[in-house]
């Protein structure tokens, strides 16, 4: 029984048989992260080329996307801000990734985020909707459909026991997490683990107490196939929303890893911080969800 | 009659015109929304700008020509020439009443209007009120009642019911039903349904007022149009002396009163004369007249119908009411000290001028993408009911959005440039330190700061060591408001994760339109 089939069965059974709210229990994901994860760090101003080179070094998109697969690409589209303001993932990066996913033979690519500002404004002004429009019918930039949040048991959770998670994110054959690296008032930085909050339903504000551990708990049930951190521009202050170009630093960098903890740990160093300064990184590392020790990673650098 | 092509009856043209007007109205109503551009190209405000009653009120209140409302002049001129064609051929409220007529068959018999004088008296009251400072046109204007009822109640309820149904099919129904239902839902989402469900204060009251107009049809046809509508009253007065007139029946008719009994406006008297003041050119009588006597043409009628004679006493009472009541509303407590939670949309005129201009059409609330704007109940007084206020716990003012000013038909809310909007203060945020987590519990929280939209954040942190609820010292970041940066958009209050009452809330303090409410930090000495 694969995960997809399991999910379908679980949904059908819970929908049909329980009077109480159906609660999804995901199979414990046993896959231990590799002991020394590969982290690809690319730099270059030509973003499509940069994405292509980083992905090639990470093993090629074909490694992650099987032909006909249902793929979710989850950028940060949280804010009604323009690309140069650095609050959302850069549209050119998202587009280049989606193109790679299509080239690998994906059957369908969904792009969505549960936004903080009004959703249409975010989708429009982030530039992401327009950037993906020409890519054809397989690519669907979708607004969040409130009907699709399902309760998921977080068996290994230390700070949460249940989360409401977007069904399409759980059911995808391949889930590509594409955060933008930026400053955040509480968690200091928002990176791969924080980006996963964009598939959570309910009152997300309530998660901010002990946020780092909760993000790690979330990572036990939502494990991206691949994490690609967009640090082409880095919002250094007044995050996560920004708005001032003075706060944005051009870095022209992209980081990719299967291990979200490793990717976050490396990205943290770009801000002059240590991996353990970020609570979510430390918490996820402690739970064995990934590696934050820079010496234990295989860091491969490419230049576009 | 086989083989003979029947000439399309004139009423068919009238019905076609009503149908098109209604379709255009609904199209504009749906389009009164964000569509991916900061500028809104067209919206349902076009309808209000064609309304001579609201135009007259806005100009009387402003004591100036309001350019936005000048299109209404065209309707007035056409009415002078052609009579009340607007009521019969174009008014969406009238078209809806006619369309739903089969549901509200009233007992036949009574053809005369129940209160034929009332529209003119209400008109006099509303116009005098507008001039002297009692803004009540929005209570009675048919478009205000219609758009408000649809925007605040009917449309959200339709959205809710539709979404509930498709949520049920999605979650409970088997796959083969979903194969049918999901494409339908997708098509509805793409066309008539809004992106998000809206919730509104006074939803039930707005719906009730609209429903009342339809229920009154049970007493007599077009009850609202002939017994209440002050816009109809104004158009009737205009049409009174016009050159276009209906030639009614004559002695040849014998005992036939078919025209009189079919008239939905009670415009045809016992002598079968047609009063152009009331006739809305529906042309039912023309098509019905068995002998083809009735006709409409230019020129003076041989025997004009008796005009609706207003009693002098009634007219004086209406004018006196409209001009004297403002003196009483002026001395209410709220006229001196406004409700602190009365937060007007960005670009709103100063309170008195704002209320004078606002026609309570609900368009700003319809277009508000943050679901922030809601109708007031009594916060702005009885005469201010249904005017817009921001309720931050329900929705917040989106930083980069200027749509409410763009759709306001009368300029009660000015059109702001994005730059002006960014600096426009509608209110101010305050922390409730007894509730705010970092202050009250020593629990870290930053949701307000995270969402604060000003590029240089108006909510900042101080790092403080406090005792938590176990008396252990903890270091937390405590938020505070920078007075010079906060614009009062309310997103902090909206997103505050506390249940029930928020720990940060906005009031109208410091609002740009009212110098009297400036914040202490802006005072330059006494």
């Amino acid at each position: 029984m694969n995960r997809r089939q399991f999910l379908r069965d679980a949904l059908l059974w819970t929908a049909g048989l329980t009077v109480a709210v159906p609660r999804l229990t995901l199979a414990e994901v046993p896959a231990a992260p590799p002991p020394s994860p590969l982290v690809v760090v690319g730099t270059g101003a030509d973003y499509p080329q940069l994405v292509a080179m980083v992905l090639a070094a990470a093993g090629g998109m074909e490694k992650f996307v099987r032909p006909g697969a249902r793929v979710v690409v989850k950028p940060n589209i949280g804010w009604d801000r323009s690309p140069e303001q650095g609050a959302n993932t850069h549209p050119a990066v998202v587009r280049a990734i989606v193109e790679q996913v299509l080239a690998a033979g994906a059957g369908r690519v969904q792009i969505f985020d549960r936004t903080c500002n009004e959703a249409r404004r975010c989708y429009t002004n982030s530039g992401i909707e327009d950037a993906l429009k020409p890519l054809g019918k397989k690519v669907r930039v979708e607004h969040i459909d409130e009907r699709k949040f399902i309760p998921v048991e977080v068996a290994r959770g230390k700070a949460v026991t249940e989360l409401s998670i977007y069904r399409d994110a759980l059911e995808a054959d391949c889930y590509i997490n594409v955060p933008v690296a930026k400053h955040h008032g509480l968690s200091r930085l928002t990176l791969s683990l924080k980006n996963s909050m964009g598939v959570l339903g309910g009152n997300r504000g309530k998660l901010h107490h002990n946020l780092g551990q909760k993000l790690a708990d979330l990572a036990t049930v939502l494990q991206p196939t691949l994490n690609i951190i967009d640090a082409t521009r880095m919002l250094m202050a007044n995050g996560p929303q920004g708005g001032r170009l003075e706060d944005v630093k051009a870095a022209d960098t992209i980081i990719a890893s299967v291990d979200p903890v490793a990717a976050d740990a490396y990205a943290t160093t770009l801000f002059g911080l240590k991996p353990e300064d970020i609570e979510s990184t430390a918490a996820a590392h402690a739970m064995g969800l990934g590696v934050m020790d820079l010496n234990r990673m295989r860091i491969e650098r490419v230049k576009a | 009659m086989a083989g003979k092509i029947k000439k399309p009856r004139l009423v068919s043209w009238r019905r076609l015109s009503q149908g098109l007007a209604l379709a255009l109205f609904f199209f504009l109503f749906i389009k009164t929304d964000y569509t991916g551009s900061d500028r809104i190209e067209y919206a349902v405000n076009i309808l209000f700008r064609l309304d001579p009653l609201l135009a007259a009120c806005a100009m009387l209140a402003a004591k100036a020509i309001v350019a936005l409302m000048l299109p209404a002049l065209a309707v007035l001129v056409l009415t002078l020439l052609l009579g009340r064609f607007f009521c019969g051929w174009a008014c969406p409220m009238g078209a809806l009443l006619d369309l739903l007529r089969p549901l509200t068959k009233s007992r036949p018999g009574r053809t005369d209007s129940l209160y034929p004088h009332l529209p003119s008296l209400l008109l006099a009251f509303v116009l005098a009120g507008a001039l002297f400072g009692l803004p009540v046109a929005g209570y009675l204007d048919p478009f205000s009642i219609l758009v408000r009822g649809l925007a605040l109640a009917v449309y959200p309820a339709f959205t809710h019911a539709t979404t509930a149904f498709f949520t049920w099919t999605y979650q409970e129904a088997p796959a083969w039903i979903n194969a049918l239902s999901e494409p339908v839902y997708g098509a509805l989402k793409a066309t008539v349904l809004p992106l998000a469900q809206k919730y509104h204060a006074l939803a039930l009251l707005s719906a009730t007022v609209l429903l009342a107009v339809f229920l009154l049809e049970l007493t007599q046809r077009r009850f609202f149009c002939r017994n209440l509508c002050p816009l109809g009253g104004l158009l009737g007065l205009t049409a009174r002396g016009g050159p276009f007139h209906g030639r009614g029946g004559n002695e040849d008719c014998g005992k036939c009163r078919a025209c009189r009994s079919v008239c939905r406006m009670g415009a045809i008297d016992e002598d079968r004369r047609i009063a152009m003041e009331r006739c809305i050119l529906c042309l039912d009588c023309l098509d019905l007249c068995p002998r083809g006597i009735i006709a409409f043409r230019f020129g003076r009628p041989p025997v004009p119908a008796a005009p609706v004679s207003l009693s002098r006493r009634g007219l004086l009472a209406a004018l006196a009411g409209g001009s004297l009541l403002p003196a009483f509303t002026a001395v209410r407590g709220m006229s001196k000290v406004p409700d602190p939670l009365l937060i007007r949309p960005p670009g709103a005129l100063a309170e008195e001028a704002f209320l004078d201009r606002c026609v309570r059409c609900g368009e700003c609330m319809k277009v508000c993408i943050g679901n922030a704007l809601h109708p007031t109940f009594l916060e702005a007084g009885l005469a201010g009911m249904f005017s817009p206020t921001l309720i931050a716990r329900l929705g917040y003012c989106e930083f980069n959005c200027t749509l409410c000013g763009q759709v306001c038909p009368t300029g009660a809310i000015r059109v702001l440039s994005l730059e002006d909007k960014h600096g426009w203060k509608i209110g101010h945020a305050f922390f409730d330190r007894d509730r705010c987590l970092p202050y009250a519990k020593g629990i870290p929280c930053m949701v307000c700061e995270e969402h604060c939209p000003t590029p240089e954040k108006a909510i900042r942190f101080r790092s403080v060591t406090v005792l938590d609820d176990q008396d252990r010292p903890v270091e937390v970041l405590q938020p505070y408001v920078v007075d010079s940066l906060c614009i009062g958009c309310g997103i902090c209050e909206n997103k505050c994760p506390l249940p029930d009452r928020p720990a940060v809330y906005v009031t109208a303090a410091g609002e740009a339109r009212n110098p009297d409410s400036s914040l202490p930090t802006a005072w330059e000495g006494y």
Side-chain angles (χ1 to χ4, degrees):
Chain A
M1 189 185 275
N2 63 23
R3 185 168 76 150
R4 195 163 139 193
Q5 194 188 347
F6 171 81
L7 280 165
R8 194 178 301 137
D9 288 354
L11 279 170
L12 278 176
W13 280 97
T14 47
L17 291 179
T18 53
V19 186
V21 186
R23 189 165 185 247
L24 178 65
T25 310
L26 289 174
E28 191 66 32
V29 191
S36 62
L38 173 68
V39 176
V40 181
V41 181
T43 49
D46 181 349
Y47 299 155
Q49 204 196 341
L50 175 61
V51 167
M53 290 187 71
V54 167
L55 286 169
M61 195 55 105
E62 298 75 19
K63 189 173 148 193
F64 307 102
V65 176
R66 291 191 313 277
R70 296 184 305 169
V71 179
V72 166
V73 172
K74 160 63 180 79
N76 188 329
I77 328 178
W79 305 99
D80 179 16
R81 295 294 196 211
S82 61
E84 65 274 12
Q85 288 171 326
N88 303 310
T89 310
H90 198 290
V93 172
V94 180
R95 180 179 167 141
I97 291 167
V98 172
E99 282 174 332
Q100 294 271 333
V101 168
L102 287 175
R108 185 182 83 184
V109 193
Q110 287 173 280
I111 295 91
F112 50 75
D113 190 13
R114 184 164 171 226
T115 61
C116 296
N117 287 125
E118 207 268 345
R120 290 166 299 183
R121 291 201 66 91
C122 298
Y123 276 46
T124 303
N125 292 338
S126 66
I128 289 174
E129 194 167 50
D130 283 344
L132 299 182
K133 216 173 261 171
L135 296 188
K137 280 196 158 174
K138 283 183 182 174
V139 179
R140 302 180 191 171
V141 183
E142 296 174 341
H143 287 294
I144 290 293
D145 181 343
E146 290 292 334
R147 305 175 305 166
K148 292 187 175 178
F149 286 107
I150 47 176
V152 174
E153 188 185 343
V154 187
R156 288 172 68 193
K158 290 182 173 175
V160 283
T161 55
E162 187 181 290
L163 287 168
S164 168
I165 303 183
Y166 203 58
R167 187 173 159 176
D168 291 359
L170 294 169
E171 290 184 353
D173 299 318
C174 169
Y175 178 85
I176 301 177
N177 188 24
V178 194
V180 61
K182 58 178 174 175
H183 165 261
H184 190 269
L186 184 71
S187 60
R188 297 188 79 169
L189 297 180
T190 119
L191 298 163
S192 303
L193 295 173
K194 178 79 171 63
N195 195 44
S196 294
M197 274 186 86
V199 299
L200 292 185
N203 182 346
R204 295 182 294 187
K206 288 183 176 160
L207 295 173
H208 281 83
H209 181 37
N210 201 2
L211 178 65
Q213 183 58 51
K214 286 173 183 164
L215 291 177
D217 290 352
L218 169 59
T220 65
V221 289
L222 183 76
Q223 296 183 326
T225 320
L226 181 64
N227 303 281
I228 305 172
I229 300 180
D230 167 20
T232 52
R233 317 123 297 151
M234 302 197 309
L235 181 60
M236 307 301 286
N238 285 313
Q241 182 172 187
R244 294 202 314 168
L245 294 180
E246 303 95 288
D247 296 333
V248 181
K249 179 180 149 190
D252 292 339
T253 302
I254 282 178
I255 300 146
S257 179
V258 173
D259 180 344
V261 185
D264 285 5
Y266 183 86
T268 305
T269 63
L270 299 179
F271 288 84
L273 298 169
K274 292 198 280 291
E276 58 270 28
D277 291 341
I278 309 303
E279 279 177 21
S280 56
T281 309
H285 176 85
M287 290 175 88
L289 297 167
V291 173
M292 72 169 182
D293 187 348
L294 294 169
N295 298 321
R296 279 174 57 198
M297 302 171 196
R298 287 181 291 135
I299 297 173
E300 189 166 331
R301 296 177 194 280
V302 293
K303 264 201 185 336
Chain B
M1 299 292 246
K4 195 172 173 184
I5 297 166
K6 206 177 165 191
K7 204 175 119 198
R9 299 187 308 159
L10 280 164
V11 283
S12 308
W13 291 108
R14 191 252 305 159
R15 287 195 183 126
L16 179 69
S17 166
Q18 285 184 295
L20 288 175
L22 202 55
L24 178 68
F25 168 74
F26 280 122
F27 174 77
L28 290 173
F29 180 81
I30 300 287
K31 285 286 168 195
T32 305
D33 194 1
Y34 175 75
T35 52
S37 161
D38 288 342
R39 304 293 311 171
I40 198 156
E41 297 300 332
Y42 38 81
V44 75
N45 57 14
I46 295 169
L47 184 66
F48 291 89
R49 290 187 177 150
L50 289 172
D51 182 332
L53 172 70
L54 298 182
C57 289
M59 294 188 201
L60 283 173
K63 323 271 182 303
I65 303 291
V66 178
L68 282 170
M69 300 299 282
L70 282 179
L73 208 57
V75 172
L76 217 52
V77 170
L78 282 174
T79 304
L80 193 65
L81 290 175
L82 294 172
R84 289 174 65 175
F85 74 99
F86 188 85
C87 306
W89 291 60
C91 173
M93 181 74 108
L96 267 177
L97 289 172
D98 288 347
L99 186 71
L100 299 179
R101 174 67 192 161
L103 301 176
T104 55
K105 277 263 183 282
S106 54
R107 274 160 286 141
R110 176 120 204 164
T111 52
D112 289 327
S113 299
L114 287 167
Y115 311 103
H117 307 313
L118 206 47
S120 306
L121 292 178
L122 288 172
L123 174 70
F125 177 70
V126 165
L127 290 180
L131 181 64
F132 292 103
L134 185 76
V136 288
Y139 269 106
L140 292 161
D141 183 83
F143 307 153
S144 291
I145 292 173
L146 180 60
V147 174
R148 200 170 63 212
L150 291 179
L152 301 182
V154 179
Y155 189 50
F158 166 73
T159 308
H160 173 79
T162 312
T163 309
F165 174 73
F166 287 103
T167 302
W168 177 76
T169 57
Y170 178 79
Q171 288 174 346
E172 309 289 342
W176 65 271
I177 288 188
N178 271 287
L180 296 170
S181 60
E182 282 303 285
V184 174
Y185 184 57
L188 287 173
K189 289 284 276 184
T191 50
V192 295
L193 288 176
L195 179 72
Q197 176 71 52
K198 280 200 170 183
Y199 302 84
H200 279 295
L202 300 199
L204 268 182
L205 185 58
S206 310
T208 306
V209 172
L210 180 58
L211 187 67
V213 173
F214 286 88
L215 287 181
L216 283 170
E217 289 288 287
L218 292 170
T219 64
Q220 69 179 174
R221 201 166 179 196
R222 288 260 193 167
F223 178 97
F224 178 82
C225 309
R226 47 168 144 168
N227 297 313
L228 288 172
C229 183
L231 171 59
L234 178 61
L235 294 177
L237 284 178
T238 313
R240 203 173 189 168
F244 198 61
H245 76 276
R247 188 186 66 196
N250 52 35
E251 290 75 32
D252 298 345
C253 300
K255 286 187 175 160
C256 175
R257 300 276 190 284
C259 53
R260 175 165 156 77
S261 60
V262 80
C263 183
R264 67 189 66 191
M265 291 298 288
I268 304 176
D269 63 15
E270 265 308 298
D271 299 328
R272 309 173 199 85
R273 288 174 307 189
I274 302 174
M276 292 312 287
E277 187 178 353
R278 302 184 208 171
C279 172
I280 58 171
L281 302 167
C282 75
L283 305 182
D284 274 0
C285 54
L286 192 73
D287 276 340
L288 192 75
C289 181
R291 303 176 68 173
I293 292 174
I294 292 176
F296 286 86
R297 57 187 51 157
F298 286 100
R300 299 304 307 170
V303 192
V308 176
S309 57
L310 286 177
S311 75
R312 186 180 301 163
R313 191 180 294 177
L315 186 64
L316 282 176
L319 289 174
S323 43
L324 294 179
L325 274 176
F328 292 89
T329 58
V331 296
R332 293 166 305 172
M334 67 177 63
S335 300
K336 185 167 164 61
V337 183
D339 188 313
L341 294 182
L342 186 65
I343 301 167
R344 296 298 194 187
L349 304 176
E351 184 60 14
E352 204 184 334
F354 174 76
L355 268 186
D356 283 353
R357 286 262 194 122
C358 172
V359 295
R360 325 292 149 79
C361 65
E363 276 190 86
C364 52
M365 309 172 208
K366 164 77 174 75
V367 85
C368 179
I369 57 175
N371 198 192
L373 294 178
H374 297 272
T376 54
F377 184 47
L378 296 172
E379 299 91 319
L382 199 55
M385 202 188 291
F386 295 116
S387 59
T389 186
L390 179 130
I391 302 181
R393 212 50 174 152
L394 282 169
Y396 65 93
C397 180
E398 197 60 79
F399 188 58
N400 292 325
C401 175
T402 57
L403 295 180
C404 53
Q406 293 180 44
V407 299
C408 180
T410 60
I413 310 172
R414 264 167 289 174
V415 182
L416 294 181
S417 69
L418 198 54
E419 199 190 347
D420 287 345
K421 163 71 197 295
H422 283 167
W424 189 283
K425 193 170 177 64
I426 58 173
H428 194 74
F430 295 90
F431 280 97
D432 181 344
R433 295 186 175 199
D434 283 340
R435 299 181 60 81
C436 180
L437 294 175
Y439 288 102
K441 309 281 177 194
I443 293 175
C445 180
M446 45 66 71
V447 180
C448 53
E449 186 263 3
E450 176 184 39
H451 285 88
C452 180
T454 54
E456 210 181 329
K457 286 197 184 289
I459 295 181
R460 291 186 195 156
F461 290 126
R462 289 187 192 101
S463 183
V464 186
T465 302
V466 297
L467 298 178
D468 67 6
D469 56 2
Q470 307 295 318
D471 274 347
R472 293 170 302 209
V474 285
E475 195 184 320
V476 288
L477 298 172
Q478 291 180 335
Y480 65 96
V481 178
V482 182
D483 286 6
S484 58
L485 294 174
C486 177
I487 52 168
C489 71
I491 195 170
C492 48
E493 176 175 343
N494 185 257
K495 305 280 183 180
C496 176
L498 284 190
D500 65 83
R501 223 175 266 167
V504 56
Y505 58 94
V506 287
T507 76
E511 57 173 345
R513 66 193 187 117
N514 181 7
D516 290 343
S517 80
S518 66
L519 293 167
T521 42
W523 297 346
E524 290 170 356
Y526 291 91

